[in-house]
Structures are given as C-alpha cells and as structure tokens.
C-alpha cells in the first residue's frame, strides 16, 4: 500500500541553525501539507501546497519557514533559524485531490529537537 | 481557541466491549470529519470519515455518528480489541476553496484491556 515517507526520523540541531525536513508524498497525490505536534499538544496545521505554490498557511508558518518541491517526488520544509519552541514532531501529509471530502494521509513524522 | 474538542484525555475498555470516543466542534463551517489513530512514534493513520450530509458511516468494527445540531460526533468501536489501544484524534475541515487544512482535537488515549 502506498505511503508517505519522511526523513530523517529524528533531527537534533542547535538553536539558530537551519534544518530541512524531507517528505516523499504518495506518488499520484497532488496536494501536500505540513503539520506539527508539540509534545503533549494537538496536531496543528502549518501549510498546504499545490501546483508548486502555497495554498494556505497558518499563523505558525512565519518567515522562518519555507516549503519546496524541488523535484517530482520530494516535498521539503525548511526552518531557517531554529528556535527552542520549534521542537516538535513534524508530519507531512498528502491527498489526491483538494476540497473537504478527501482524505489526507500522514507520514510517520520527524522529531525535531532544538537545543 | 479549541474548534475541535475531545474532552476525555483517556478511556479504558475491556476487550470485547464497545469503545465510544466523543468529539465536539464549534465551527459551523466544518462539514467533513475524520478520525485518525496514532501509535507512539508513528504518524496519524486515517481510520474513518463522515461528510455532513450523513449522520452515520460504518466500516467494519468502526462506526462514526454525526449529530450536526449538537455539533457532536462519536466513534464507536465494537468489539474492542487490544490492538485498538492508541491515541484517537478527531479532525474536521470546512468549506474552503482549494486545500482544506484539518483542525485536530487533542486526542483521546484508548486502552483496551485483555
């Protein structure tokens, strides 16, 4: 069964460093998302992406964050200068279509630890 | 601002009995609802969904009920099995153009006791 994959599974970085989290969505999906879950809190939407541009983003997704689809398979989330409060699980998701009746499938997550 | 609320952080059920997980929402623009299951160190796994035009959707042991007037949905698992032990997230999305981000509840940890 097709699945969303994410690398690395765990990333440790120093405050102020740049990190890139990588995702390979399900191959025929066209819509891509990043969510995060701070320990003990709920899963929160960061950004959605379609046709090589951001469709929607939350207040969390400030200028420190960017997303890119550098080739036909990868979807990346970059944090330019990490802060302690960026420590969280980051989940990538993809869906075949847009709209509110399609299912988003999640990857296993990358645990980001900022020291 | 909790638009999706799961008021029970945990639930314990005996194997073979029914598990009922509840979810309330406040945003009347939500019209598609999903349940995800999450094991430790894994991403949320889609379980079942329901559109607002329905009040019930069933898939094997899992049934989701939607009460639009009460802005309440529930997930029934029957019979419950030890492998169902996980955190269950309720999620909702609304009538936006383009991509629709999911709004999640905080989750309910279900423990099925053998």
């Amino acid at each position: 069964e097709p699945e969303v994959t994410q690398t690395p599974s765990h990333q440790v970085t120093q405050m102020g460093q740049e990190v890139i989290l990588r995702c390979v969505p399900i191959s025929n999906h066209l819509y891509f998302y990043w969510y995060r879950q701070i320990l003990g809190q709920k899963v929160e939407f960061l950004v959605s992406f379609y046709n090589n541009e951001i469709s929607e983003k939350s207040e969390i997704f400030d200028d420190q964050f960017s997303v890119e689809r550098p080739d036909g398979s990868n979807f990346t989330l970059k944090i330019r200068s990490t802060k302690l409060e960026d420590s969280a699980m980051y989940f990538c998701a993809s869906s075949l279509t847009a709209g509110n009746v399609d299912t988003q499938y999640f990857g296993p997550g990358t645990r980001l630890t900022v020291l | 601002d909790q638009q999706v609320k799961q008021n029970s952080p945990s639930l314990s059920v005996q194997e073979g009995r029914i598990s009922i997980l509840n979810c309330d929402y406040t945003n009347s623009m939500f019209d598609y609802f999903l349940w995800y299951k999450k094991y430790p160190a894994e991403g949320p796994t889609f379980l079942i969904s329901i559109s607002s035009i329905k009040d019930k959707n069933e898939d094997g042991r899992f049934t989701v009920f939607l009460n639009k007037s009460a802005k309440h949905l529930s997930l029934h698992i029957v019979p419950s099995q030890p492998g169902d032990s996980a955190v269950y997230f309720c999620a909702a999305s609304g009538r936006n153009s383009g991509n629709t981000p999911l709004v999640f509840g905080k989750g309910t940890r279900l423990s099925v006791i053998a």
Side-chain angles (χ1 to χ4, degrees):
Chain A
E1 185 175 323
E3 58 182 17
V4 177
T5 59
Q6 291 184 243
T7 54
S9 57
H10 191 187
Q11 174 88 48
V12 181
T13 189
Q14 294 289 329
M15 188 171 55
Q17 295 295 305
E18 174 183 287
V19 295
I20 298 177
L21 310 182
R22 301 180 193 280
C23 168
V24 178
I26 293 173
S27 61
N28 63 335
H29 285 187
L30 301 175
Y31 298 83
F32 314 113
Y33 313 82
W34 283 101
Y35 291 81
R36 78 172 185 190
Q37 184 183 25
I38 294 172
L39 186 64
Q41 299 187 24
K42 63 181 179 180
V43 176
E44 299 174 291
F45 169 75
L46 293 179
V47 65
S48 58
F49 191 86
Y50 168 70
N51 199 25
N52 284 319
E53 60 182 31
I54 290 173
S55 301
E56 193 163 348
K57 59 184 181 179
S58 71
E59 293 175 353
I60 303 167
F61 195 87
D62 61 22
D63 292 343
Q64 293 297 315
F65 291 88
S66 62
V67 288
E68 191 178 31
R69 189 155 162 83
D71 53 43
S73 60
N74 288 286
F75 178 52
T76 62
L77 173 69
K78 182 193 290 186
I79 309 175
R80 264 181 271 283
S81 178
T82 49
K83 304 187 286 287
L84 295 176
E85 54 265 37
D86 293 328
S87 295
M89 282 291 290
Y90 287 81
F91 295 107
C92 172
S94 69
S95 62
L96 180 59
T97 62
N100 57 359
V101 291
D102 194 28
T103 299
Q104 296 176 24
Y105 292 90
F106 285 75
T110 293
R111 180 175 297 283
L112 176 64
T113 302
V114 182
L115 302 177
Chain B
D1 175 28
Q2 285 190 68
Q3 297 187 68
V4 176
K5 300 177 187 178
Q6 293 178 257
N7 291 320
S8 298
S10 63
L11 175 68
S12 289
V13 173
Q14 288 285 334
E15 181 180 6
R17 307 295 286 268
I18 185 170
S19 296
I20 300 176
L21 296 99
N22 294 303
C23 177
D24 298 292
Y25 61 96
T26 57
N27 190 337
S28 58
M29 297 300 287
F30 289 147
D31 60 1
Y32 187 57
F33 305 90
L34 310 90
W35 285 94
Y36 284 85
K37 179 169 74 172
K38 186 180 180 304
Y39 294 116
E42 294 185 12
T45 303
F46 170 73
L47 198 56
I48 193 169
S49 62
I50 188 166
S51 167
S52 61
I53 62 173
K54 296 185 173 182
D55 55 18
K56 177 182 175 181
N57 188 25
E58 190 172 353
D59 183 2
R61 296 186 297 114
F62 303 92
T63 303
V64 56
F65 295 92
L66 175 62
N67 182 335
K68 287 190 293 295
S69 61
K71 294 192 177 67
H72 176 84
L73 63 154
S74 60
L75 173 68
H76 292 208
I77 307 172
V78 56
S80 302
Q81 300 173 354
D84 296 330
S85 297
V87 178
Y88 288 78
F89 291 98
C90 173
S93 66
R95 298 185 189 278
N96 292 326
S97 59
N99 302 38
T100 51
L102 295 175
V103 180
F104 283 84
K106 289 189 174 182
T108 296
R109 181 178 301 279
L110 174 65
S111 300
V112 180
I113 304 163

